[in-house]
Amino acid sequence: MISGDLFPASTGHAVQDEPLCEGAMVLRGFALAEQLRLLQAIETIVAQAPFRHLITPGGRRMSVGMTNAGPLGWVSDRRGYRYAALDPDSGKPWPAMPEAFLQLAGAAAAQAGFAGFVPDACLINRYQTGNQLTLHQDRDERDFDQPIVSVSLGVPAVFLFGGLQRSDRAQRVALAHGDVVVWGGPARLRYHGVLPLRPAQHQALGHSRINLTFRRAG
Ligand code: MD3
Ligand code: FE
């Protein structure tokens, strides 16, 4: 389904809206026009707060590397999952949310029908070959009426989009460099995950996939 302008602001990048289900919308190529700014901002963030492998409350090391930007960052350790204002590795605040992140997340949310989205947390996930994220719900945020915006960069991945119960059958959605997904309303608490990353090469990110997940956490 096509809505709006396929080539917004004449950037030379095609974008296209694709409803997944009620409340969830894939915006194909939405981040392409800003990709260089995004990649540069990620470099700056990672220099201050490097990717690390968090420990789950059950004591397992997550294979996906994670870091954060913004007033709040998602962390996990033996005590549980939570949002924290300080990076536990450095004791310092997380790097500031780049203006390019705020603009992109706000514009994507608005395009999907969630005007006024101002995220206070950006979780940055780095997947390397074979890394996966098992089926889970995002429920550590205060207000489930706020959407989540995710931006895929680098090597393509297959996203699993399930139902409100873990046992519900999941659809598979291929997400490529520059794709943005907005999840809100009745989709906000659906189970989701990422299949093991297949070996592939991306011009800017090598064998990696980076996902930016924007949330209103506090
Ligand atoms: C669907 N990250 O960090 S983002 C996560 O690609 C996470 O790194 C995945 O799931 C990644 O928690 C997927 C897409 C996403 C985020 C939140 C959702 C999909 C969602 C909340 C409800 C339904
Ligand atoms: Fe999630």
Side-chain angles (χ1 to χ4, degrees), residues 101-114:
F101 281 21
L102 275 180
Q103 279 182 12
L104 183 80
Q111 173 94 351
F114 299 93

Side-chain angles (χ1 to χ4, degrees), residues 128-131 155-158 195-201 207-209:
Q128 292 175 316
T129 308
N131 291 175
V155 166
V158 178
L195 289 183
L197 197 72
R198 309 287 298 267
Q201 191 56 253
H207 294 282
S208 303
R209 167 180 190 255

Side-chain angles (χ1 to χ4, degrees), residues 51-53 62-67 124-127 131:
F51 288 114
R52 77 286 309 267
H53 298 277
M62 297 186 74
S63 70
V64 175
M66 296 182 173
T67 188
I124 307 177
N125 292 331
R126 183 199 57 197
Y127 296 78
N131 291 175

Side-chain angles (χ1 to χ4, degrees), residues 123 125 133-134 136-138 148 159 190 192-193 213 215:
L123 172 64
N125 292 331
L133 198 60
T134 54
H136 66 278
Q137 288 173 301
D138 288 17
I148 290 180
F159 184 76
R190 283 172 70 151
H192 57 278
T213 305
R215 304 185 173 95

